């Protein structure tokens, strides 16, 4: 069965919080971190590359509608983004190149965490918190949103914005590493138990492509592609 839907998943370009060192101290989680100068170059490189990739392509004219009740033209490429600054900026540059608007959706935001921690923690300690929440999917270590809650809101996004059976649809989702991890697990139907031994490496502006058939069967086509980053060397 041929794919009816294609998802192009993109992590935001390099942001200021991505260049912190292990011993740097974080007073809290900064949801508004902006892109670094390298991040801006990465976003532009992605925007120069992705619209010409046959896997995505420019929207162009929509195919003719299918006959039948409620039929209409197949949707063109749609870009959804986390509203947080680093993702929104990456999506803005990419969507301009694709010639489509950006649709912000808070369900694609990064994990929810305290703006101020009870006690400041180093980046190394923060990484340990992130690891802990994946080992215990229902837990909220240090007041951070649980993996289960994050996966649930991602599922709600997919069900409402990208329903199974929307034939011919192509969606570009610009988000964050932890959220895209949840999107991949949800699309591919992976159980939380796999978190003990299976993770997806998701680099800044790394591109994943997932195809889904009309009956909801999904396959991973491209994982963490960074071909476009040769332009930033």
């Amino acid at each position: 069965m041929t794919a009816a839907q294609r998802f192009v998943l993109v992590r935001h370009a390099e942001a200021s919080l991505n260049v912190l060192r292990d011993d740097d101290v974080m007073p809290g989680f900064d949801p508004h971190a902006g892109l670094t100068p390298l991040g801006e170059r990465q976003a532009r490189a992605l925007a120069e590359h992705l619209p010409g990739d046959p896997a995505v392509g420019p929207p162009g004219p929509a195919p003719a509608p299918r006959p039948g009740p409620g039929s209409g033209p197949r949707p063109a490429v749609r870009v959804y983004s986390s509203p947080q600054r680093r993702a929104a900026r990456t999506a803005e540059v990419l969507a301009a190149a694709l010639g489509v608007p950006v649709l912000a959706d808070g369900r694609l935001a990064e994990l929810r965490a305290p703006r101020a921690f009870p006690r400041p923690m180093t980046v190394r300690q923060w990484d340990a918190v992130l690891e802990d929440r994946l080992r215990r999917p229902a837990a909220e270590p240090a007041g951070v949103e649980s993996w289960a809650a994050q996966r649930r809101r991602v599922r709600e996004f997919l069900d409402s914005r990208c329903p199974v059976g929307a034939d011919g649809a192509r969606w570009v989702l610009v988000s964050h590493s932890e959220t895209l991890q949840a999107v991949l697990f949800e699309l591919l139907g992976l159980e939380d138990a796999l978190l003990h031994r299976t993770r997806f490496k998701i680099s800044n502006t790394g591109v994943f492509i997932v195809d889904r058939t009309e009956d909801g069967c999904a396959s991973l086509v491209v994982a963490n592609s960074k071909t476009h980053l040769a332009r930033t060397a």
Side-chain angles (χ1 to χ4, degrees):
M1 184 179 292
T2 58
Q5 303 167 319
R6 169 156 287 181
F7 294 83
V8 180
L9 313 178
V10 181
R11 184 186 176 192
H12 63 79
E14 183 186 82
S16 56
L17 53 71
N18 298 135
V19 296
L20 297 176
R21 297 168 298 183
D22 286 348
D23 293 327
D24 285 344
V25 175
M26 300 171 57
F29 182 73
D30 179 9
H32 304 300
L35 299 185
T36 65
L38 174 58
E40 288 285 347
R41 295 197 299 274
Q42 289 175 341
R44 289 194 296 270
L46 178 69
E48 290 170 6
H49 169 80
L50 206 58
D53 191 323
V56 182
R66 288 183 171 185
S71 63
R74 294 181 179 180
V77 174
R78 294 178 183 175
V79 178
Y80 286 99
S81 173
S82 157
Q84 289 167 305
R85 184 179 171 192
R86 55 198 184 278
R89 172 57 182 162
T90 304
E92 175 188 24
V93 176
L94 178 56
L98 286 167
V100 297
V102 177
L103 303 172
D105 195 302
R107 290 169 293 189
L108 291 179
E110 185 53 295
L111 55 83
R112 293 163 183 157
R115 294 290 302 273
F117 298 135
R119 290 185 299 277
M121 66 177 76
T122 65
V123 172
R124 184 181 290 105
Q125 291 169 326
W126 170 249
D127 289 342
V129 169
L130 298 183
E131 183 66 23
D132 186 26
R133 70 187 287 273
L134 296 182
R135 286 198 305 266
R136 300 184 297 140
E140 298 181 347
V144 175
E145 179 184 30
S146 72
W147 163 264
Q150 187 175 27
R151 182 165 180 173
R152 185 164 53 249
R153 65 175 163 91
V154 161
R155 184 183 311 126
E156 291 171 354
F157 168 83
L158 293 172
D159 288 346
S160 63
R161 297 287 199 175
C162 316
V164 172
D167 193 23
R170 291 191 178 190
W171 291 288
V172 178
L173 310 183
V174 183
S175 188
H176 311 261
S177 60
E178 299 295 320
T179 304
L180 289 177
Q181 194 86 229
V183 172
L184 286 163
F185 265 65
E186 195 64 31
L187 284 175
L188 298 171
L190 303 179
E191 299 293 334
D192 289 345
L194 289 175
L195 288 167
H196 292 290
R197 61 180 185 275
T198 302
R199 310 281 171 77
F200 293 98
K201 179 176 175 58
I202 306 176
S203 303
N204 292 121
T205 66
V207 176
F208 289 74
I209 295 177
V210 176
D211 281 350
R212 188 168 67 182
T213 59
E214 291 179 354
D215 62 359
C217 181
S219 57
L220 182 62
V221 179
V222 171
N224 205 35
S225 173
K226 298 180 287 182
T227 303
H228 55 281
L229 291 184
R231 300 168 184 255
T232 64

